[in-house]
């Protein structure tokens, strides 16, 4: 069982301990001897899907009577989903249309920046949309007129 060690002077949580401490100071003992006491903790710990959700917490509280430890679950933000997205180089290149890939190859013959990005992409083992190199390369494609900003965002979406 989980217990919070409570300071009787101000009801502050001094720490958490797990085990059988039924013989430890009770709240009534503490009122007499002034020593910290243990309060049993009610834990709220919901299940979640780590692919789409994040578990946060715990938030510990003691109100003078009830001790609680609460975890919450929320959906991952778009930024969190993007940060953990990983594509193979092939998967990434297939996110472009055939026409876009052809335009990129043609532009690489004319632009050192586009050629450098394409060479690095071909050498990569994987592509992460949140990686600064990916972001810079996609910005170079937009700057070169090969993609619109909207199309870039579609390609980089998880």
């Amino acid at each position: 069982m989980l217990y919070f060690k409570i300071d009787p002077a101000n009801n502050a949580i001094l720490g958490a301990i797990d085990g059988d401490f039924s013989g430890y100071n009770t709240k009534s003992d503490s009122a007499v001897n002034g020593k910290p006491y243990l309060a049993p903790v009610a834990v709220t710990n919901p299940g979640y899907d780590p692919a789409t959700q994040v578990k946060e917490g715990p938030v510990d509280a003691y109100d003078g009577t009830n001790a609680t430890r609460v975890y919450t679950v929320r959906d991952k933000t778009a930024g969190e989903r993007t940060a953990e997205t990983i594509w193979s180089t092939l998967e990434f290149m297939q996110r472009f249309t055939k026409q876009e890939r052809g335009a990129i190859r043609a532009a690489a013959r004319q632009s050192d920046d586009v050629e450098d990005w394409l060479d690095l992409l071909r050498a990569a083992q994987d592509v992460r949309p949140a990686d600064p190199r990916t972001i810079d390369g996609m910005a170079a494609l937009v700057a070169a007129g090969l993609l619109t900003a909207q199309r870039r965002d579609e390609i980089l979406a998880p």
Side-chain angles (χ1 to χ4, degrees):
M1 170 109 192
L2 183 66
Y3 294 86
F4 288 155
K5 189 174 182 180
I6 305 296
D7 182 343
N10 58 11
N11 284 335
I13 299 170
L14 301 174
I17 55 176
D18 202 359
D20 181 11
F21 295 94
S22 54
Y24 195 79
N25 284 338
T26 65
K27 188 172 183 179
S28 58
D29 292 336
S30 181
V32 173
N33 64 27
K35 293 182 180 177
Y37 62 94
L38 295 182
V41 179
V43 178
T44 302
N45 192 3
Y48 74 109
D49 177 3
T52 61
Q53 297 174 314
V54 174
K55 184 184 287 189
E56 296 179 328
V59 175
D60 295 339
Y62 182 68
D63 64 8
T65 305
N66 300 303
T68 58
R69 173 169 279 181
V70 178
Y71 294 87
T72 57
V73 173
R74 65 170 175 80
D75 291 335
K76 288 183 179 180
T77 64
E80 288 167 331
R81 290 189 311 270
T82 298
E84 60 191 26
T85 300
I86 301 172
W87 298 300
S88 70
T89 305
L90 174 62
E91 289 169 329
F92 179 66
M93 289 306 292
Q94 288 178 324
R95 297 178 75 82
F96 294 85
T97 65
K98 184 176 182 176
Q99 293 77 20
E100 289 167 341
R101 291 191 306 268
I104 291 167
R105 285 190 300 272
R109 292 189 285 273
Q110 305 298 318
S111 165
D112 288 339
D113 288 341
V114 176
E115 180 183 31
D116 184 52
W117 177 79
L118 191 55
D119 285 345
L120 291 173
L121 177 63
R122 288 176 177 147
Q125 294 181 15
D126 56 52
V127 178
R128 299 166 192 253
D131 187 304
R133 296 169 294 189
T134 304
I135 294 167
D136 291 347
M138 295 298 282
L141 297 182
V142 171
L146 300 169
L147 297 175
T148 64
Q150 179 181 350
R151 182 66 182 124
R152 172 202 60 210
D153 294 345
E154 291 170 358
I155 292 168
L156 292 178

